[in-house]
């Protein structure tokens, strides 16, 4: 099946720093989703990308859908303590229409030191 | 804001026991899902449910698992005879339409001893 690989696995940064993480796949994805999971909570959608090359922002978050459709990047600018959590990339199966059946990456754990 | 609610938040059970995890999806949503997250690992798809039947399931979702929508609001996941490896966080999710955003509940933590 399709697999998503995220890097880095974890990040320890100072408040105010910018963060960059990525997600790659050996197969094409037609939709890229970025979720954040906080302790004791379910994943919450941050950004959805639907078109190769698309660059989308949500406040301090910016994500890009790679031209090859095999990768995506998430950047967080001027990090704050509440950015702490696990960030997952995810996507539905290529060629399918089941947007609810998502493949998730293994996550990037972000720790922000005040 | 409408949300997906799940009960119980944490259940501890003995191996071999039956467990039912309950979910109340967002009221006008039509598509329902269960996902699983073993501690420290990624979130994995288990099953999707639409129009009162399973539309898709993963290889994890074997004969020990079943889902049901017994009334207009609840969506349940039953594990007939739990195994140690069933210990995980189970997330219910729902979405309104075919391409809509997936909303996750806070999860039910299952611990099998």
């Amino acid at each position: 099946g399709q697999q998503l690989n995220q890097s880095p696995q974890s990040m320890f940064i100072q408040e105010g720093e910018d963060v960059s993480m990525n997600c790659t796949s050996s197969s094409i994805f037609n939709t890229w989703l970025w979720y954040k999971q906080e302790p004791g909570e379910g994943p919450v959608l941050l950004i959805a990308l639907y078109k190769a090359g698309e660059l989308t922002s949500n406040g301090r978050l910016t994500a890009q859908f790679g031209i090859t459709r095999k990768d995506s990047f998430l950047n967080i600018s001027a990090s704050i303590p509440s950015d702490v959590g696990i960030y997952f990339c995810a996507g539905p199966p290529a060629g399918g229409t089941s947007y609810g059946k998502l493949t998730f990456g293994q996550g990037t754990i972000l720790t922000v030191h005040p | 804001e409408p949300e997906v609610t799940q009960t119980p938040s944490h259940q501890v059970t003995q191996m071999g026991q039956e467990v039912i995890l309950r979910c109340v999806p967002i009221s006008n949503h039509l598509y329902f899902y269960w996902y699983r997250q073993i501690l420290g690992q990624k979130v994995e798809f288990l099953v999707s449910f639409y129009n009162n039947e399973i539309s898709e399931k993963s290889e994890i979702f074997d004969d020990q698992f079943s889902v049901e929508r017994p009334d207009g609001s609840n969506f349940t996941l039953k594990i007939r005879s739990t195994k140690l490896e069933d210990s995980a966080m189970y997330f219910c999710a729902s979405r309104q339409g075919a391409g809509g955003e997936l909303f996750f509940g806070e999860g039910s933590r299952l611990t099998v001893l």
Side-chain angles (χ1 to χ4, degrees):
Chain A
Q2 294 180 309
Q3 289 202 356
L4 295 174
N5 298 305
Q6 288 187 244
S7 64
Q9 288 188 333
S10 61
M11 304 181 75
F12 297 84
I13 62 169
Q14 290 293 129
E15 183 177 0
E17 289 183 9
D18 296 343
V19 170
S20 185
M21 59 188 81
N22 67 24
C23 186
T24 60
S25 172
S26 58
S27 56
I28 287 172
F29 276 74
N30 293 322
T31 298
W32 287 90
L33 306 170
W34 284 94
Y35 284 85
K36 179 186 178 187
Q37 185 182 25
E38 297 185 14
E41 306 278 332
V44 174
L45 183 65
L46 298 174
I47 292 181
L49 302 160
Y50 300 106
K51 192 174 165 183
E54 180 181 352
L55 184 72
T56 297
S57 292
N58 178 7
R60 293 178 296 104
L61 277 62
T62 302
Q64 182 158 29
F65 190 144
I67 293 289
T68 65
R69 293 197 280 162
K70 293 183 178 181
D71 59 5
S72 178
F73 301 87
L74 175 70
N75 295 321
I76 305 172
S77 62
S79 58
I80 58 178
S82 61
D83 289 333
V84 163
I86 306 176
Y87 290 79
F88 291 100
C89 61
T97 56
S98 178
Y99 288 96
K101 181 188 175 186
L102 300 178
T103 298
F104 280 79
Q106 76 273 34
T108 292
I109 302 170
L110 178 64
T111 304
V112 180
H113 294 288
Chain B
E1 187 176 320
E3 58 182 15
V4 177
T5 57
Q6 292 185 239
T7 54
S9 57
H10 188 192
Q11 180 156 357
V12 181
T13 189
Q14 294 290 326
M15 192 169 56
Q17 295 294 304
E18 176 182 284
V19 160
I20 296 177
L21 305 178
R22 292 183 168 79
C23 169
V24 179
I26 295 173
S27 63
N28 62 344
H29 285 193
L30 301 176
Y31 299 79
F32 314 111
Y33 305 84
W34 283 99
Y35 281 78
R36 179 182 83 173
Q37 185 180 31
I38 294 172
L39 185 64
Q41 298 187 22
K42 64 182 180 181
V43 179
E44 300 174 288
F45 168 81
L46 290 179
V47 65
S48 59
F49 191 87
Y50 170 70
N51 202 25
N52 284 319
E53 60 183 18
I54 291 174
S55 45
E56 206 161 359
K57 58 185 181 180
S58 71
E59 56 267 23
I60 301 169
F61 194 88
D62 61 22
D63 292 344
Q64 293 300 310
F65 290 88
S66 62
V67 290
E68 196 177 34
R69 194 149 190 257
D71 53 44
S73 59
N74 290 286
F75 179 51
T76 62
L77 174 70
K78 182 194 288 186
I79 308 174
R80 288 192 186 83
S81 179
T82 50
K83 304 187 284 284
L84 295 176
E85 54 265 37
D86 293 328
S87 294
M89 184 74 92
Y90 289 82
F91 291 105
C92 175
S94 70
R95 60 190 174 99
Q96 185 176 30
E101 178 183 344
L102 198 61
F103 289 85
F104 286 85
E106 293 187 344
S108 291
R109 179 171 296 285
L110 176 65
T111 302
V112 183
L113 302 176

